């Protein structure tokens, strides 16, 4: 068998991810701190035949180089031991002498939380609804028989099967906080996303005392805190900056406040990017007595949450920080999906259908739809696949030449009379002139690829003497601000519940996500190493190409 050596490829991390993570890797107010290795674009190991005859390679593992010798029969065991260490969950026991108490969460006996129940709910028999710390879920479930299999990914060149287990999410039998001593806070950061209010609501409901029985217990962070018996819940307004903004005091959250917030889009707390330095945020938390912090956001927000967690540990504070992944781009590692993504794909259908009707109804009609996706094309890909009306789908992960796209548009006009093109906002940025501009958060301002394609399409067809009617639709902010659909509503509910369960279990510096249909807890550093992106060799992208019928535009 011919020897294999690695071909290292640099993953394309968006400027926003790098910039946002840089903001949080400092403990002073200076913004120009260097980025931690945890947030450098991760090197992905791809394998190609080599003439050098080497079988010893280096694999990038959790921010440090771990050398694996695949000729060693024990390499799998060594990898699994390292994996177990990387994915162990930080706990209050690591820094403090804390003692567990029986959980106040029990659906078998849902009595109001009173002094008589401070040691847990009494029950005639044991309730079998708890999850144990030893419970695990598989991170990867496909055993690839060959490295050339579509979408194959592995640790060694042969894509050998290696079990990788992560912690199962859910309520624990013992907790590390007395509900009456909990001061919880919720903060939403980044951009708007369908489902924010749903998660906020469920967290609060699980904290509020149970003598205020909620009318509808399917609505999440506020709701779940209620069952545990927590009375004090604050909403931090407008992201991290709300910790220090004297003009925007924290918002007390209760059942009455959050009861119907899930019926609308947006966030009752407001959102923003960036914010003060970590030490100031933790100072503010100490001043307010906050000992549970729930952070809703994407990669940059989670980077900030991890730095807050580390600062609290350094000060030996009995504080837990739990993230809930929020991004409609679906670009957070290791997770099946993040909340807001399903709603974004569904709402994108409206724009695509409108573009199709416009193009199909016009003489030589061309419909162009630009969807969100700075560095990941999941929305464009899945919306194109779901609609069945797209002829060309362009995403950031797959380069293209505009001349090839325009020639194919002409072929579609000549053969079927109309065409519909869907493009992710981060696609084709190399075709646009860079302004080197950044927004208020330091994120690179993308060029408008949708308008660029629209203008080039009109110019091209005018030059070749073929009349076309081009319609351009950009539904970005309509998608972000809409209410979560049923699928995302369920996801938000379960994520919110499990965030509260994880906090009461004493875990900190973690996030909750869905992995292979199971809900799990993951250390934050492992999910923010680089943005998840569409694999051009994946079965899903192949399915999209089968649906559109488009060629390569290279």
């Amino acid at each position: 068998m011919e020897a294999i050596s690695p071909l290292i490829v640099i993953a394309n991390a968006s400027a926003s991810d790098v910039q946002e993570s840089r903001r949080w890797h400092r403990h002073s107010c200076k913004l120009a701190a260097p980025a931690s290795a945890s947030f450098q674009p991760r090197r992905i190991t791809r394998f190609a035949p080599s003439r050098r005859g080497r079988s010893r390679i280096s694999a990038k593992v959790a921010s440090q180089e771990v050398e694996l010798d695949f000729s060693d029969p024990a390499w799998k065991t060594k990898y699994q031991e390292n994996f177990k260490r990387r994915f162990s969950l930080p706990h209050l026991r690591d820094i403090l002498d804390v003692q567990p108490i029986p959980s106040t969460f029990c659906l078998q006996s849902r009595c109001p939380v009173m002094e008589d129940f401070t040691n847990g709910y009494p029950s005639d028999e044991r309730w079998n609804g708890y999850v144990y710390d030893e419970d695990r879920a598989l991170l990867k479930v496909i055993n690839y028989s060959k490295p050339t299999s579509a979408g194959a990914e592995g640790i060694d060149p042969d894509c050998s099967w290696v079990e990788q287990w992560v912690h199962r999410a859910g309520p624990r039998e013992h907790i590390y906080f007395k509900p009456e001593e909990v001061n919880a806070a919720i903060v939403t950061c980044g951009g708007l996303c369908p489902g924010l209010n749903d998660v906020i609501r469920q967290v609060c409901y699980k904290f509020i005392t149970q003598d205020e029985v909620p009318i509808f217990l399917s609505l999440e962070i506020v709701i779940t805190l209620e069952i545990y018996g927590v009375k004090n819940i604050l909403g931090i307004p407008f992201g991290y900056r709300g910790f220090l903004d004297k003009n925007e005091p924290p918002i007390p959250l209760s059942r009455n406040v959050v009861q119907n917030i899930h019926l609308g889009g947006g966030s009752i707390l407001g959102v923003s990017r960036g914010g003060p330095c970590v030490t100031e945020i933790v100072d503010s938390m100490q001043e307010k007595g906050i000992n549970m912090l729930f952070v809703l956001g994407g990669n940059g927000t989670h980077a900030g949450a991890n730095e807050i967690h580390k600062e609290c540990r350094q000060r030996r504070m009995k504080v837990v920080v739990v993230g809930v992944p929020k991004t409609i781009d679906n670009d957070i590692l290791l997770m099946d999906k993040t909340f807001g993504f399903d709603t974004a794909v569904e709402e994108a259908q409206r724009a695509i259908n409108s573009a199709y009707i416009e193009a199909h109804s016009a003489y030589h009609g061309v419909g162009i739809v630009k969807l969100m996706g700075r560095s990941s094309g999941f929305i464009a890909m899945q919306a194109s696949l779901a609609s069945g009306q797209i002829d060309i789908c362009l995403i950031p992960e797959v380069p293209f030449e505009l001349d090839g796209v325009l020639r194919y548009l002409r072929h579609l006009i000549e053969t079927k009379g109309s065409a519909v093109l869907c493009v992710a906002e981060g696609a084709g940025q190399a075709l646009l002139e860079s302004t080197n501009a950044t927004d208020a958060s330091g994120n690179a301002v993308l060029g408008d690829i949708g308008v660029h394609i629209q203008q080039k399409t009109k110019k091209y067809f005018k030059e070749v003497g073929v009349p076309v009617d081009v319609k351009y639709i950009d539904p970005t902010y309509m998608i972000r601000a809409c209410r979560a659909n049923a699928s995302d509503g369920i996801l938000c509910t379960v994520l919110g519940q499990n965030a509260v369960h994880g906090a009461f279990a004493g875990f900190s510096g973690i996030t909750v996500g869905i992995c292979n249909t199971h809900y799990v807890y993951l250390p934050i550093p492992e999910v923010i190493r680089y943005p998840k992106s569409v694999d051009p060799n994946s079965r899903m992208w192949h399915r999209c190409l089968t649906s559109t019928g488009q060629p390569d535009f290279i």
Side-chain angles (χ1 to χ4, degrees):
M1 178 178 178
E2 185 177 5
I4 302 294
S5 70
L7 172 64
I8 303 299
V9 179
I10 301 297
N12 290 323
S14 70
S16 62
D17 296 301
V18 176
Q19 289 291 337
E20 191 71 10
S21 57
R22 281 177 178 167
R23 296 179 59 84
W24 294 107
H25 280 267
R26 78 265 191 256
H27 291 270
S28 67
C29 295
K30 193 173 182 179
L31 296 181
S36 163
S38 299
F39 303 103
Q40 294 296 328
R42 182 174 181 262
R43 295 192 297 175
I44 301 176
T45 305
R46 301 286 187 190
F47 302 101
S50 171
R51 298 177 181 176
R52 294 188 177 183
R54 295 184 302 171
S55 60
R56 185 180 181 90
I57 73 167
S58 294
K60 186 74 171 180
V61 180
S63 308
Q64 61 180 339
E65 294 291 342
V66 175
E67 193 171 82
L68 295 176
D69 184 359
F70 296 123
S71 64
D72 182 357
W75 75 263
K76 288 186 181 181
T77 301
K78 293 178 180 178
Y79 177 83
Q80 288 174 320
E81 290 174 351
N82 185 66
F83 183 90
K84 182 178 180 180
R85 177 187 59 79
R86 288 165 48 201
F87 282 82
S88 62
L89 303 180
H91 197 279
L92 289 175
R93 293 187 302 259
D94 301 339
I95 59 169
L96 300 171
D97 182 16
V98 290
Q99 299 301 319
I101 60 174
S103 177
T104 55
F105 179 86
C106 179
L107 299 181
Q108 186 169 335
S109 177
R110 286 169 287 184
C111 303
V113 176
M114 296 181 282
E115 292 183 1
D116 295 340
F117 300 147
T118 53
N119 291 323
Y121 285 117
S123 178
D124 293 333
E125 59 185 49
R126 187 182 185 90
W127 185 55
N128 295 323
Y130 295 115
V131 171
Y132 296 95
D133 287 348
E134 295 76 20
D135 289 356
R136 298 290 187 271
L138 269 178
L139 184 64
K140 306 289 184 182
V141 295
I142 299 179
N143 185 355
Y144 298 101
S145 61
K146 296 181 180 180
T148 54
S149 179
E153 54 181 353
I155 301 161
D156 70 326
D158 294 326
C159 289
S160 302
W161 171 254
V162 180
E163 291 184 352
Q164 302 171 72
W165 297 96
V166 292
H167 292 257
R168 186 182 176 202
R172 265 53 176 178
E173 189 172 12
H174 293 89
I175 58 178
Y176 288 82
F177 288 91
K178 292 182 178 179
E180 64 271 18
E181 297 176 356
V182 169
N183 292 305
I186 306 169
V187 61
T188 58
C189 305
L192 287 179
C193 178
L196 279 171
N197 284 334
D198 301 63
V199 177
I200 294 169
R201 191 166 186 242
Q202 188 62 30
V203 172
C204 289
Y205 267 46
K206 283 221 184 321
F207 279 158
I208 304 170
T209 57
Q210 212 162 2
D211 52 356
E212 293 181 341
V213 179
I215 298 174
F216 186 36
L217 270 176
S218 63
L219 318 150
E220 301 313 316
I221 292 182
V222 175
I223 299 177
T224 309
L225 288 167
E226 176 201 43
I227 296 180
Y228 277 97
V230 175
K231 299 180 180 180
N232 302 314
I233 312 168
L234 293 177
I236 306 300
F238 300 107
Y240 287 127
R241 69 176 66 252
F243 281 101
L244 271 72
D245 193 338
K246 302 299 182 183
N247 297 321
E248 296 289 347
I251 303 171
L253 298 176
S254 66
R255 178 182 65 86
N256 291 332
V257 173
V258 304
Q259 181 170 323
N260 295 314
I261 62 174
H262 67 297
L263 300 179
S267 169
I268 187 177
L269 302 178
V271 295
S272 72
R273 301 184 185 275
C277 64
V278 174
T279 53
E280 289 180 327
I281 291 176
V282 177
D283 288 344
S284 176
M285 290 173 61
Q286 284 186 301
E287 180 183 337
K288 296 177 174 63
I290 296 170
N291 52 15
M292 278 190 188
L293 178 62
F294 299 91
V295 181
L296 283 61
N299 285 297
T301 301
H302 273 69
N306 192 53
E307 292 304 309
I308 294 172
H309 153 73
K310 291 194 295 184
E311 178 69 12
C312 290
R313 284 172 71 91
Q314 185 175 336
R315 300 187 189 189
R316 300 183 65 81
M317 296 166 56
K318 188 181 179 181
V319 173
V320 291
V321 181
V322 179
V324 182
K326 173 230 66 167
T327 166
I328 64 175
D329 287 354
N330 198 36
D331 61 352
I332 295 184
L333 282 176
L334 307 179
M335 300 180 187
D336 293 355
K337 60 181 178 180
T338 53
F339 79 80
F341 174 68
D342 278 353
T343 304
V345 172
E346 183 174 308
E347 289 298 314
Q349 305 306 298
R350 302 178 188 273
I352 290 175
N353 188 56
S354 297
Y356 174 81
I357 292 174
E358 288 284 353
H360 192 68
S361 301
Y363 177 72
H364 287 180
V366 175
I368 299 173
V369 181
K370 186 184 77 170
L371 299 176
M372 298 189 74
R374 292 182 62 91
S375 60
S376 303
F378 289 102
I379 295 179
M381 175 181 68
Q382 300 241 23
S384 298
L385 186 60
S387 71
Q389 297 171 321
I390 295 296
D391 299 297
I392 300 174
C393 178
L394 305 175
I395 60 175
E397 296 86 344
V398 180
F400 62 91
E401 294 179 359
L402 191 54
D403 287 344
V405 173
L406 296 175
R407 288 195 298 269
Y408 187 62
L409 278 176
R410 181 179 181 182
H411 167 74
L412 293 171
I413 292 296
E414 292 174 346
T415 55
K416 57 181 290 190
S418 63
V420 182
L421 181 149
C422 175
V423 58
E425 62 178 331
Q429 291 299 304
L431 306 175
L432 306 175
E433 182 178 352
S434 176
T435 61
N436 296 320
T438 58
D439 61 18
S441 298
N443 302 324
V445 176
L446 297 178
D448 197 329
I449 186 63
V451 171
H452 181 73
I453 292 177
Q454 176 197 28
Q455 294 173 346
K456 291 294 184 179
T457 299
K458 291 180 177 179
K459 180 180 179 181
Y460 172 79
F461 279 98
K462 183 177 181 180
E463 290 175 349
V464 298
V466 177
V468 291
D469 188 353
V470 181
K471 296 296 193 301
Y472 174 61
I473 299 176
D474 181 356
T476 295
Y477 294 103
M478 294 175 62
I479 292 175
R480 289 181 4 145
C482 68
R483 176 187 174 184
N485 66 7
S487 175
D488 270 328
I490 294 172
L491 180 59
C492 291
T493 295
V494 182
L495 290 177
Q497 290 177 357
N498 283 319
V500 176
H501 294 322
F504 267 99
F507 298 121
S508 182
I510 66 167
T511 190
V512 58
I514 183 170
C515 179
N516 297 314
T517 73
H518 297 287
Y519 291 88
V520 300
Y521 295 134
L522 300 166
I524 289 178
E526 291 298 327
V527 302
I528 58 174
R529 288 177 295 160
Y530 58 94
K532 183 176 72 173
S533 59
V534 175
D535 180 0
N537 191 45
S538 66
R539 289 291 297 122
M540 190 59 72
W541 178 244
H542 293 172
R543 294 175 186 128
C544 183
L545 295 179
T546 302
S547 176
T548 63
Q550 70 190 62
D552 293 332
F553 300 114
I554 297 296

